[in-house]
Amino acid sequence: MSTELPESAVPPPNGAGESSSAPTRRTFIATSTAVGGAVVAGGVIGGSFLADPEEVAAAEAPPSSRVSLTVNGTRRTVTVDNRTSLLDLLREHLGLAGSKKGCNAGACGACTVLVDGRRANSCLTLAVRLEGAEVTTIEGLADGDQLHPLQQAFIDEDAFQCGYCTPGQIVSGVGCIQEGHTGSAEEIREWMSGNICRCGCYVKIVRAVEQTAARK
């Protein structure tokens, strides 16, 4: 028996029956890519896809808030970046450079201020969280030309050398006295341990705090 199929039953080779004008897969992809690129480029060049410059600036601007607080007895209202620390608010916005930026990580105490009468590392305190708070810095301790008793004690005891840590030491000492942690030299050292003096004036610092506390 013959196994040959009649000529009409043999399937034509791939593509043999397709019109020569039909696009191939490669041609279709290339054409689509070219047309799509032209549309995007035209839109960007024509400006139809570009956002308004003011909208772009608003989108890129960091979030900010308005905060009102009392600093050294004066009410201050400022608008700041939500990430602004109290230390940067004092130094950069209010011009109060007495609080020093040492480690900027809450480890040295050079930036110590009083917030509602309690000691705080201003470098770790967000300014926007202090709505209505009362802040006292080294600039706010003296009464006009009359130094605070602890400021005078630091001078009398020569409790500083380079002076960089001194503002934070004094403010922390005032807080320590107000908190009642001056029962002994050991207690003062414990409660002042967050303030580092790289010059090593700890003995005289403790003595100044002791003498000021004793006069109260």
Side-chain angles (χ1 to χ4, degrees), residues 65-69 75-80 89 126-133:
S65 298
R66 189 177 180 87
V67 59
S68 294
L69 66 165
R75 191 71 170 176
R76 310 296 291 266
T77 299
V78 293
T79 299
V80 294
L89 170 65
L126 287 176
V128 294
R129 300 190 65 181
L130 298 180
E131 177 67 31

Side-chain angles (χ1 to χ4, degrees), residues 7 10-22 24:
E7 184 176 348
V10 178
N14 293 336
E18 298 178 0
S19 171
S20 60
S21 62
T24 65

Side-chain angles (χ1 to χ4, degrees), residues 89-157:
L89 170 65
L90 295 171
R91 293 179 60 85
E92 307 300 333
H93 294 264
L94 303 183
L96 299 173
S99 303
K100 299 297 187 265
K101 181 175 286 190
C103 65
N104 207 31
C108 72
C111 67
T112 304
V113 298
L114 299 179
V115 177
D116 294 330
R118 307 289 293 185
R119 290 176 287 176
N121 290 321
S122 59
C123 71
L124 297 184
T125 304
L126 287 176
V128 294
R129 300 190 65 181
L130 298 180
E131 177 67 31
E134 293 190 8
V135 178
T136 302
T137 71
I138 186 67
E139 291 92 343
L141 292 181
D143 183 9
D145 294 333
Q146 183 67 40
L147 294 177
H148 186 280
L150 186 56
Q151 289 176 305
Q152 187 60 55
F154 263 65
I155 296 174
D156 296 340
E157 295 296 330

